[in-house]
Amino acid sequence: MVHHQLICGHWFAQEGTPDTFLGYDGADLRRCTRCKGAFYTNQDAQKKAWKRHKKACRLMAQSEIDAINNLSLEECSRALKTWLKHTDGGPETYYLMKRVRVLMDDDADGTAEVGFQMHSLARGLIFYPGDQMMTVAASPFMANLLLGDEEDLLNTKTRLIKYELADYNGRPSEDYVEAIEDEEKRRALQKVCDTYDALDDAWGEPSSMSYCYLYFNLLVACAYHGQPSRTSNNDGAGGSFRGGNPRFKTAESLLSTAALRRAMTLWTDPLVLKSCGDAMAPAASLAASAITLYMKEELFVSDLLGKHEVAPGLAFDRLAITCMGELLETAGSASS
């Protein structure tokens, strides 16, 4: 069973990763005993988060989860519009997000169309002046989904490269496979290669791209309050990071910093960028805004940043490689 990262619902720290700025020693997180889907560094953090979390704190019955897992993509789209924008949150948001991902990976009817609908929905939250994204993040399992490693944003083919073919730097040649003397190992690798060859990029990439239009823009909305613009490329510019100066550790700035780190980490991952492409269009402008903020507030030498980072999630070398790659491919995200 894969164990995904757990995220504190108040400090938004990752379980097992000590954080000097947040005063977190890396100890196991405490689980909310009511909804089972929220986690905290300690009782004090849980108390601080309770005012918002209590509105969404509910354990869903299996019959309710099964009902969501029987919804069509269009039905999920309509439901998410309500849960993301017009409620106090709830576990439904998480299960709807997961259902959308499954349906898009299965190339359900209307995937591309619903992807653009979800893009419009999430984009609207970037421009929304209120703290609705705090409500979304307070819903059971949503902090883990958005800020942890549960969602990799990879298409099926790229996921094979990362998890099954990593030792071979991609799909090995037929000659290489046939030369393996261990029959069991050769057959196993050949099976993976056959699966890889059967996948068609024409349908493999749109699933991750379509979902990324929703997922990545929700991250941007958690981090940044943007101003309406003609193109998604500029959605990370012209506004301000939510919660103000991250040094002051307001609840909203904690979420903003964690979401920025997650968004930048995904954007500078070449496999994720290959899978999602222009669905990550706001990334470059968001990176520029983050670097500007950290220079202006002199945050480069703070506990907010990791080694060689110029902003949360932006290691200098990965930033340079990503920007060069985007420019060379004239991707939409680089044109901002």
Side-chain angles (χ1 to χ4, degrees), residues 247-262:
R247 183 184 283 122
F248 299 136
K249 302 183 186 181
T250 65
E252 199 169 11
S253 73
L254 291 169
L255 174 59
S256 174
T257 301
L260 173 63
R261 178 174 297 282
R262 173 71 170 149

Side-chain angles (χ1 to χ4, degrees), residues 11-313:
W11 296 109
F12 302 107
Q14 294 182 359
E15 183 180 59
T17 304
D19 191 310
T20 304
F21 177 73
L22 299 177
Y24 169 55
D25 62 4
D28 291 348
L29 299 188
R30 303 162 56 102
R31 181 193 292 264
C32 175
T33 57
R34 184 179 179 186
C35 71
K36 313 294 186 184
F39 303 84
Y40 303 96
T41 55
N42 52 42
Q43 190 173 22
D44 181 59
Q46 187 170 8
K47 287 181 178 179
K48 289 178 178 178
W50 177 242
K51 182 178 180 180
R52 189 177 299 275
H53 175 64
K54 68 180 179 180
K55 300 175 183 178
C57 184
R58 184 171 72 85
L59 182 65
M60 285 186 71
Q62 187 59 49
S63 59
E64 295 177 289
I65 298 173
D66 292 342
I68 288 178
N69 288 336
N70 284 319
L71 293 179
S72 68
L73 191 54
E74 184 60 38
E75 289 170 332
C76 287
S77 174
R78 290 197 297 268
L80 269 175
K81 289 178 183 178
T82 297
W83 284 102
L84 287 173
K85 294 187 70 174
H86 305 297
T87 71
D88 289 328
E92 290 84 352
T93 308
Y94 170 81
Y95 289 104
L96 285 166
M97 292 277 292
K98 298 291 285 186
R99 175 62 175 165
V100 167
R101 178 60 150 140
V102 168
L103 289 170
M104 287 182 168
D105 277 349
D106 289 343
D107 198 27
D109 290 342
T111 291
E113 180 180 352
V114 169
F116 283 112
Q117 291 174 2
M118 293 290 93
H119 180 212
S120 297
L121 170 64
R123 244 193 121 197
L125 289 169
I126 296 174
F127 309 139
Y128 188 71
D131 60 355
Q132 182 63 19
M133 293 313 299
M134 289 291 295
T135 298
V136 172
S139 296
F141 302 107
M142 283 302 293
N144 295 340
L145 180 63
L146 290 174
L147 306 174
D149 61 359
E150 182 175 347
E151 172 56 55
D152 60 15
L153 285 185
L154 300 179
N155 62 41
T156 308
K157 198 164 189 176
T158 306
R159 194 174 287 133
L160 274 178
I161 293 174
K162 181 173 183 177
Y163 298 111
E164 302 289 344
L165 299 172
D167 292 340
Y168 308 97
N169 293 318
R171 197 251 194 246
S173 67
E174 292 296 336
D175 290 341
Y176 181 93
V177 176
E178 292 176 2
I180 297 176
E181 295 182 0
D182 187 309
E183 183 177 354
E184 184 177 350
K185 183 177 180 181
R186 184 176 66 252
R187 287 182 176 179
L189 180 57
Q190 186 62 60
K191 185 177 180 180
V192 173
C193 290
D194 290 344
T195 302
Y196 178 91
D197 294 340
L199 292 170
D200 184 349
D201 280 337
W203 68 263
E205 288 194 11
S207 67
S208 54
M209 285 188 68
S210 296
Y211 187 73
C212 186
Y213 280 121
L214 169 63
Y215 183 93
F216 192 77
N217 280 281
L218 286 179
L219 283 178
V220 177
C222 286
Y224 199 77
H225 174 212
Q227 298 298 315
S229 60
R230 293 182 179 181
T231 171
S232 299
N233 297 351
N234 298 321
D235 286 352
S240 59
F241 283 91
R242 296 190 187 272
N245 191 320
R247 183 184 283 122
F248 299 136
K249 302 183 186 181
T250 65
E252 199 169 11
S253 73
L254 291 169
L255 174 59
S256 174
T257 301
L260 173 63
R261 178 174 297 282
R262 173 71 170 149
M264 295 296 94
T265 299
L266 288 169
W267 177 54
T268 55
D269 183 324
L271 292 180
V272 175
L273 193 55
K274 178 181 179 181
S275 293
C276 297
D278 286 351
M280 306 181 90
S285 58
L286 184 66
S289 294
I291 293 171
T292 299
L293 171 68
Y294 275 69
M295 289 180 63
K296 178 181 178 181
E297 301 296 338
E298 299 182 348
L299 297 170
F300 283 124
V301 289
S302 72
D303 292 336
L304 278 160
L305 299 182
K307 190 175 182 180
H308 305 309
E309 285 187 339
V310 294

